[in-house]
Amino acid sequence: MTFPFDTATLYGLVGALLIGIGLFGLIVDPKPIRKILAFNLIGAGVFLFFGVVAKRGAGAGFGGDPIPQALVITGIVVAFSATALAVTLVQRLSQEEAAASDADGKDRP
Amino acid sequence: MILALLFDTLLAVAMIVVAVWMISVKNAFAAIIDFMVFGLLLALAWLRIEAPDVGLTEIAIGSGATGVILLRARGLARDRDEMSATPSIGFKILVGALCGGVTLGLAALVLMPPDPAPTLAYAAAENLHLTGVGNPITAVLMAYRAFDTFLETVVVLLALLGVWSLTPDRFWGGRPGPAPAASVPAPLTFLAQWLVPLGVLIGIYIFWIGADEPGGKFQGATILAAMWVLLMMAGLTDAPPVTSRRLRAALLVGPAVFMAVGIAGFWLAGDFLAYPPDFAKPVIIVIEAAMLISVAAALGMLLAGPPMRESEP
């Protein structure tokens, strides 16, 4: 039996699909937390895509090219930092909005 | 061979199903748990394409720590529901077509790879003995591309500065996160008492073997940060105030040591961030140990969030 793809190609296609799914969620879903989730899904797809580039560059006794792999590790840490900042921004925004609607409620009667 | 193919296909299908579910499920809490499940599947995929270091990072930071941060904000998605307009079906179809196009373009790139594939693996292997470390990923992070890694820790610190600067004025100077719960469930205290010593040991081990085997300071630091957060959740310790000098020293020691070694490189090895030959490995380990402290402190503080209570007198 011959399979149409090798392992790297299969995961490369998964990465391409993940980017598409994440992009759709990012644009269509109006809720900020869901947008952050979708953005992380795009990130996961891009990293996987890059990981496939690393796998194809295997050589010199390594299972994959270590340079893209190391860059992906850096990328995951940076994506986490950006997510933490984004979540805190949304948190602060909703606090401010809650405070503003409280103030409205008190003024009205 | 067939078994491996079967596993890869199942894993690929599972990842796509979980990803679609994550985007489409109504409940934000379910979507976040989905995201963490997805991270575990993705880590398996990283193992399959022979990137165990990336898999470890994905589990620790991509899935675990990111999931915890998102869980902190899960209530917000519910609060804002009625304020958000849902796009029309026509718009969704348009966006779907656009995203399908992006995926098809990327898929074409995957199916038509350049031959031979570009690689720097040989260059990385050739100079590995000069760095003294056995894990090529660590060699890239700490020697070939050390400047990237230096800037990366600065990015983590910048994110923490951003999070702290979102503190409401009246809470500034207080301890991060909400006040500890008045009564902690006994099993949680028990878990923290038993797991934390073990977790600290594992974190340091993952850091230490990073020189030669999969692992490293980021993965180790995440485990240490998780243990710190577990202690805070169990009420066994409290987060230090954001103005604490000891906390700030811990946050800065990594980048400071990195910078000092980098500048010393001008005299000792003739260039910025160059390591003196024959001493490369000890220098790398000193930098990594300092970075372990800083990254663990920064990740722990990012997980705890900005101060949300009055500072004590």
Side-chain angles (χ1 to χ4, degrees), chain A residues 31-81:
Chain A
K31 299 177 208 81
I33 292 299
R34 303 302 292 267
K35 280 193 193 289
I36 297 174
L37 263 178
F39 199 75
N40 270 290
L41 195 58
I42 300 180
V46 172
F47 294 149
L48 194 57
F49 201 84
F50 210 28
V52 169
V53 173
K55 175 75 179 96
R56 288 200 170 131
F62 303 141
D65 187 349
I67 282 91
Q69 289 187 359
L71 293 183
V72 168
I73 292 181
T74 305
I76 291 176
V77 176
V78 171
F80 165 77
S81 306

Side-chain angles (χ1 to χ4, degrees), chain B residues 184-263:
Chain B
V184 175
L188 180 58
T189 312
F190 181 75
L191 179 73
Q193 281 166 340
W194 282 93
L195 190 62
V196 168
L198 204 63
V200 168
L201 189 68
I202 292 173
I204 293 174
Y205 174 75
I206 296 256
F207 151 70
W208 181 253
I209 59 161
D212 294 307
E213 303 288 334
K217 63 189 169 307
F218 286 116
Q219 297 91 329
T222 314
I223 296 175
L224 294 183
M227 292 304 123
W228 193 19
V229 171
L230 183 58
L231 283 179
M232 292 182 209
M233 282 166 61
L236 295 174
T237 180
D238 202 356
V242 290
T243 46
S244 154
R245 282 187 188 280
R246 271 168 66 195
L247 173 64
R248 292 185 175 194
L251 289 171
L252 288 178
V253 63
V257 167
F258 215 149
M259 196 69 177
V261 169
I263 291 173

Side-chain angles (χ1 to χ4, degrees), chain B residues 12-96:
Chain B
V13 170
M15 283 169 75
I16 298 300
V17 169
V18 171
V20 170
W21 183 251
M22 182 165 98
I23 295 299
S24 55
V25 67
K26 281 266 177 282
N27 183 331
F29 181 69
I32 296 168
I33 299 300
D34 246 26
F35 176 75
M36 297 170 89
V37 172
F38 174 80
L40 298 182
L41 295 176
L42 182 58
L44 280 178
W46 281 113
L47 289 183
R48 289 295 300 147
I49 54 175
E50 296 183 56
D53 293 82
V54 185
L56 272 175
T57 315
E58 174 58 39
I59 286 205
I61 304 179
S63 160
T66 308
V68 170
I69 293 258
L70 287 164
L71 282 177
R72 203 175 77 204
R74 68 181 181 277
L76 301 177
R78 197 175 51 231
D79 290 343
R80 297 172 60 84
D81 265 0
E82 66 271 27
M83 301 162 69
S84 314
T86 317
S88 67
I89 296 290
F91 180 72
K92 279 189 182 174
I93 292 174
L94 188 71
V95 172

